[in-house]
Amino acid sequence: MQNPRAQWASCQKYFEQNIEANEYERWFSPIEFESYTPATCTLVLRVPSDYVAQYIEKNYIEHLRIAISNTFGRIRLQWHTIIVKKEDNIAKDTSTLQQKRRGNGYGYTSDSAVDTETPDGIAKAALASDKAQDLIQAPGSIVTTHLPEIDSQLNLHQTFSNYVEGESNKLCRSVGLSIAEHPQGTQFNPLFIYGPSGCGKTHLVNAIGVRCKEMYPNKRVLYVSARIFQVQYSNATMQSKINDFIGFYQTIDMLIVDDVQEWLTSTKTQETFFHIFNHLFRTSKHIILVSDRPPVQLSGMMDRLITRFSCGVVAEMEKPNVQLCVDILKRKIQRDGLHIPENVITYIAENANGSVREIQGIINSLMAYSITYNCNIDLKFVERIVMRAVKTDNQALTIDDIIRIISAHYDVTEQQVKGRLRKREIVLPRQVIMYLADKHIRMPASRIGRCVGGRDHSTVIHSIRLVTEKMQQDKDFCCEIQALEQELGIK
């Protein structure tokens, strides 16, 4: 009988002759022969990650069938997932990742069946024979076993118990809590949360992860910022361990990615995350994404990612209103043991610009000053603190500001915008004014219409819908609107 190792070499020769050189080098060359047991017709191979096995099964199944059938006979193919070593946790900080250049990649080795000294951290995949079965098992039939716990990188102090609910975050909190307590459900997958800086998005997604871990300790939950993900991806690319990188992320049960808008200029990172997203979504793992803008406004993001980001729940989180800021202040004051008069609390809430971070900064400053100078916290004292801690802007945006800026941008007069002419070069700026007034001033449609030439509310609603659709379909127009928002001082 021919030596099994030589038989596998024949398979590799077939692959090399029938598959493009660069594809062969990337996907088939890393495969190593492990063993073959004639009694059970079991062929054991070593591959860099389960991602490699999945890619080959998806794209080269016929070549795999021909090569193995001609050499080893008719067998059934079964892929086994990887057992990850605790000490090789990918979720460590970037300095640790950089120190692992000569280690086991991203930890893809088996604690028992695979040699853990293998420098590339190569994982094992098995080809199990069953003469009564077809060669190939159903696609995507992956067996997950004994994956050890990872460092979730969650902030354990950001929980639902200290997250104050209000009108601006009610939907996001409700959906997030449902996901945390029922991670096996798929109706809210993915959850895409967007909103301005300082409105509490990061606190909420950490609370989701913390609650999930409390209720399901064995769940592999991971919080990662988009920037750290990009650094990890760059390190993996430099170390030729991109398959291990992807393979690790495909083992996560709940993946939370913060600030995804930071990927807008990185096509390679987007492509890699696309593969990770597809695998997690297909295997009913939860994906939670955070951004400062909705998916349709992520100009520079791949269209296929935008559609996937939008296929679950897209929930907006607005800046907290004054009442919610008051509630947050009272919670923090009670926690820190401070004594602050009611009128002072109201003053802080009204001047914190709807930012939870600024509220926290003011409270920290009050504590420091009151302890250092042993003084009472009164309104005069707080005014000085707020002046130093908060960038105040008492000039609220008005519809007159919007009309002036938009008219100048499109080179039309304010009288033309408010007039009855329906030329395209006048209608578009008029519609943009209505859209921006509705979005940023929250004026009733009837009032917006009166300010723009006495139009009725149905015209305003129709204009808002047209601008929204145009932004979704035309990325250049979407960028133009964003630039106008910046000119108006809208962050």
Side-chain angles (χ1 to χ4, degrees):
M1 182 179 177
Q2 188 178 5
N3 184 291
R5 191 176 295 274
Q7 288 179 283
W8 175 249
S10 298
C11 292
Q12 283 283 37
K13 187 175 181 179
Y14 170 85
F15 298 141
E16 189 173 9
Q17 292 174 346
N18 291 275
I19 294 171
E20 292 184 12
N22 59 337
E23 286 287 285
Y24 170 81
E25 286 298 323
R26 182 173 185 181
W27 302 108
F28 289 88
S29 180
I31 302 175
E32 297 183 11
F33 176 85
E34 178 74 16
S35 65
Y36 178 70
T37 307
T40 58
C41 297
T42 302
L43 172 65
V44 179
L45 305 173
R46 290 193 297 178
V47 294
S49 73
D50 69 330
Y51 178 68
V52 173
Q54 292 168 0
Y55 185 90
I56 292 172
E57 182 178 293
K58 180 179 179 181
N59 296 279
Y60 295 103
I61 196 67
E62 286 302 321
H63 288 299
L64 197 63
R65 176 184 287 113
I66 292 170
I68 293 178
S69 296
N70 291 344
T71 309
F72 290 96
R74 187 175 179 82
I75 62 172
R76 180 170 59 91
L77 178 62
Q78 182 181 9
W79 300 110
H80 292 269
T81 52
I82 300 144
I83 300 175
V84 185
K85 293 172 64 180
K86 282 186 180 180
E87 58 266 33
D88 285 336
N89 185 348
I90 191 174
K92 296 180 181 177
D93 60 31
T94 54
S95 60
T96 304
L97 288 171
Q98 291 170 352
Q99 294 171 4
K100 291 166 61 58
R101 290 180 183 276
R102 299 177 62 85
N104 287 343
Y106 287 95
Y108 288 96
T109 58
S110 168
D111 291 329
S112 57
V114 179
D115 179 9
T116 57
E117 299 301 318
T118 305
D120 288 329
I122 296 177
K124 182 166 69 174
L127 294 176
S129 174
D130 184 347
K131 294 183 178 181
Q133 301 284 339
D134 288 338
L135 170 66
I136 301 301
Q137 190 175 332
S141 53
I142 302 169
V143 181
T144 305
T145 55
H146 309 302
L147 288 170
E149 188 176 347
I150 62 172
D151 182 354
S152 293
Q153 298 294 297
L154 293 165
N155 184 339
L156 302 181
H157 299 291
Q158 294 181 329
T159 65
F160 279 109
S161 62
N162 57 27
Y163 189 83
V164 183
E165 181 180 324
E167 286 300 318
S168 62
N169 60 31
K170 188 173 184 179
L171 172 64
C172 296
R173 185 187 183 280
S174 177
V175 174
L177 183 60
S178 176
I179 291 172
E181 296 183 345
H182 308 283
Q184 67 278 8
T186 59
Q187 65 179 124
F188 298 139
N189 197 27
L191 170 61
F192 190 103
I193 298 174
Y194 73 94
S197 177
C199 66
K201 303 186 299 295
T202 299
H203 185 153
L204 176 60
V205 295
N206 269 277
I208 295 171
V210 170
R211 175 64 65 87
C212 182
K213 287 294 291 182
E214 287 173 351
M215 298 186 67
Y216 306 91
N218 294 327
K219 289 287 184 184
R220 293 167 63 80
V221 179
L222 178 63
Y223 168 89
V224 63
S225 70
R227 183 184 63 81
I228 292 298
F229 182 93
Q230 196 162 358
V231 170
Q232 293 172 349
Y233 166 75
S234 299
N235 289 340
T237 302
M238 289 188 294
Q239 298 171 39
S240 299
K241 294 175 181 176
I242 193 63
N243 291 328
D244 289 344
F245 173 79
I246 294 173
F248 169 81
Y249 273 94
Q250 290 182 337
T251 68
I252 303 301
D253 296 314
M254 178 181 288
L255 178 60
I256 304 167
V257 186
D258 206 348
D259 294 323
V260 295
Q261 74 276 358
E262 294 192 11
W263 290 341
L264 296 183
T265 58
S266 180
T267 303
K268 292 295 184 182
T269 302
Q270 293 179 36
E271 289 177 350
T272 301
F273 186 73
F274 172 78
H275 295 296
I276 293 169
F277 184 103
N278 272 355
H279 176 84
L280 295 179
F281 187 81
R282 188 175 62 247
T283 54
S284 300
K285 309 300 183 183
H286 262 289
I287 306 157
I288 300 171
L289 306 160
V290 182
S291 175
D292 64 357
R293 67 201 76 170
V296 294
Q297 293 183 15
L298 290 172
S299 180
M301 192 73 74
M302 296 164 53
D303 288 339
R304 57 183 181 173
L305 270 182
I306 291 176
T307 57
R308 282 161 175 78
F309 290 173
S310 306
C311 70
V313 174
V314 177
E316 180 181 11
M317 189 180 293
E318 301 174 353
K319 282 190 174 184
N321 58 24
V322 173
Q323 183 55 54
L324 181 55
C325 288
V326 168
D327 295 340
I328 293 171
L329 274 164
K330 288 181 176 179
R331 178 75 65 88
K332 292 182 180 296
I333 289 166
Q334 182 181 18
R335 181 201 63 191
D336 296 332
L338 295 173
H339 298 284
I340 300 179
E342 194 73 27
N343 66 325
V344 173
I345 292 175
T346 302
Y347 176 82
I348 296 172
E350 290 175 344
N351 289 273
N353 293 331
S355 171
V356 178
R357 289 195 183 96
E358 289 189 355
I359 289 174
Q360 184 63 60
I362 292 170
I363 295 296
N364 291 340
S365 298
L366 287 176
M367 289 182 63
Y369 275 88
S370 62
I371 292 172
T372 302
Y373 297 104
N374 192 26
C375 56
N376 293 325
I377 299 176
D378 56 21
L379 187 58
K380 188 175 181 180
F381 173 67
V382 169
E383 285 176 348
R384 295 200 303 271
I385 298 299
V386 171
M387 189 179 300
R388 296 168 185 170
V390 177
K391 181 181 178 182
T392 57
D393 182 7
N394 295 322
Q395 293 184 338
L397 181 67
T398 67
I399 192 167
D400 290 333
D401 296 327
I402 295 175
I403 293 173
R404 176 174 49 82
I405 295 294
I406 302 307
S407 298
H409 175 79
Y410 286 102
D411 195 23
V412 297
T413 67
E414 295 183 29
Q415 290 72 21
Q416 287 176 320
V417 167
K418 295 179 181 179
R420 312 309 297 179
L421 287 176
R422 297 187 55 80
K423 293 182 179 179
R424 185 182 183 281
E425 58 268 24
I426 297 174
V427 170
L428 178 60
R430 187 182 292 149
Q431 291 172 340
V432 170
I433 289 168
M434 296 178 189
Y435 169 83
L436 292 174
D438 174 74
K439 180 178 179 182
H440 297 294
I441 304 181
R442 305 291 183 185
M443 293 174 63
S446 57
R447 187 179 168 196
I448 294 173
R450 287 197 298 270
C451 293
V452 189
R455 286 161 172 84
D456 60 39
H457 75 283
S458 61
T459 301
V460 175
I461 293 171
H462 179 67
S463 298
I464 294 167
R465 181 178 60 80
L466 290 177
V467 173
T468 303
E469 290 176 354
K470 186 174 176 61
M471 289 179 66
Q472 294 172 350
Q473 298 165 3
D474 187 339
K475 288 188 175 182
D476 291 336
F477 180 70
C478 183
C479 291
E480 183 179 1
I481 296 299
Q482 291 172 6
L484 286 169
E485 289 176 323
Q486 290 179 354
E487 190 174 350
L488 287 163
I490 301 166
K491 297 181 180 179

